[in-house]
């Protein structure tokens, strides 16, 4: 009987490399990273900043920048932005809080988009077969800037979910980040102002901010209902 021909080491290494960098392996890595990030958030509870305040040894511009970086990392790990926006206003006031929150918003969106594009797009795009999924993919791929701008102006879709959906589509980086930065200003400002004036809930600034949040939330609900009704009609 003839002995089996051993597989060349180079061929085995090539197969292992292909398996390691295959679309589903990269998607599994993305899922593991997001699960680890979410677990870290649960353990460390960043929302305690609202009660405990910012560490006293960190102040000034460095604190604002550091908060923005932490904000970006937290949004990529699915921490709700409204909570972070309230914290930014409560910790730094309206102006510095808004700057920090917007920097963190764009940074977090960029992190999520990059991870989704590099690790998830190749595996998930073949699964876009449902009518709603195809419609969303076509909208984001063909009209990326205005679609993302509408999602940011009328919040309804969770921030992280919108980031990863955009990453799976064929939307470009520049339209995505630009639409995120511009579209997030009104709603972010409202939450930051509400957080900065939380100690005086009867002040005009606080009431206007809360009113804006309620109105945009209702508008988002109406738009989502109309879109759903239109898709059903097709």
């Amino acid at each position: 009987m003839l002995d089996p021909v051993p597989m060349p080491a180079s061929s085995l290494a090539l197969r292992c490399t292909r398996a390691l960098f295959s679309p589903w392996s990269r998607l599994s890595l993305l899922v593991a990273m997001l699960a680890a990030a979410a677990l870290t958030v649960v353990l460390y509870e960043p929302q305690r900043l609202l009660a405990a305040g910012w560490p006293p040894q960190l102040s000034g511009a460095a604190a604002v920048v550091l908060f923005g970086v932490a904000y970006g990392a937290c949004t990529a790990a699915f921490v709700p932005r409204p909570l972070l926006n309230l914290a930014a206003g409560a910790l730094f006031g309206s102006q510095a809080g808004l700057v920090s929150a917007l920097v963190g918003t764009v940074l977090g969106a960029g992190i999520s988009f990059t991870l989704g594009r590099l690790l998830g797009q190749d595996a998930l795009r073949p699964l876009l077969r449902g009518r709603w999924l195809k419609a969303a993919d076509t909208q984001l791929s063909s009209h990326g800037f205005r679609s993302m701008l509408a999602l940011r102006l009328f919040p309804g879709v969770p921030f992280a979910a919108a980031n990863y959906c955009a990453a799976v589509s064929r939307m470009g980086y520049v339209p995505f980040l630009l639409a995120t930065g511009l579209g997030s200003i009104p709603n972010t400002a409202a939450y930051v102002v509400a957080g900065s004036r939380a100690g005086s809930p009867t002040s005009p600034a606080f009431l206007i901010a809360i009113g804006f949040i309620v109105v945009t939330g209702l508008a988002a609900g109406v738009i989502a209902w109309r879109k759903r009704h239109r898709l059903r009609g097709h």
Side-chain angles (χ1 to χ4, degrees), residues 213-224:
I213 293 169
V214 172
V215 169
T216 54
L218 292 175
V222 171
I223 292 173

Side-chain angles (χ1 to χ4, degrees), residues 64-77 79-86 88 96-114 148 151-153 155 158-160 162-163 173 176-192:
V64 174
V65 172
L66 182 59
F67 183 88
V69 173
Y71 184 117
C74 286
T75 56
V79 176
R81 283 184 63 248
L83 181 66
L84 296 171
N85 292 333
L86 290 172
L98 178 58
V99 171
S100 184
L102 287 176
V103 169
T105 295
V106 176
L107 177 61
I111 293 173
S112 300
F113 190 89
T114 301
M148 187 54 57
L151 287 176
R152 302 310 192 196
L153 286 173
F159 183 74
N163 295 337
Y173 270 93
F176 172 76
L177 293 177
L178 187 58
T180 295
L182 293 176
S184 298
I185 292 175
N187 197 260
T188 302
Y191 275 100
V192 170

Side-chain angles (χ1 to χ4, degrees), residues 35-140:
L39 179 60
T40 301
V41 167
V42 171
L43 293 177
Y44 285 92
E45 300 179 348
Q47 64 270 21
R48 288 182 299 177
L49 285 173
L50 285 172
W54 192 253
Q57 61 270 26
L58 297 174
S59 61
V64 174
V65 172
L66 182 59
F67 183 88
V69 173
Y71 184 117
C74 286
T75 56
F78 299 101
V79 176
R81 283 184 63 248
L83 181 66
L84 296 171
N85 292 333
L86 290 172
L91 294 173
F92 305 112
S94 299
Q95 296 181 357
L98 178 58
V99 171
S100 184
L102 287 176
V103 169
T105 295
V106 176
L107 177 61
I111 293 173
S112 300
F113 190 89
T114 301
L115 290 175
R117 179 60 55 90
L118 294 179
L119 301 179
Q121 187 187 49
D122 291 342
L124 293 177
R125 280 202 65 81
L127 303 180
L128 300 177
R129 298 173 182 174
R131 183 176 59 182
W132 285 21
L133 292 176
K134 284 185 177 180
D137 176 63
T138 300
Q139 187 70 21
L140 288 172

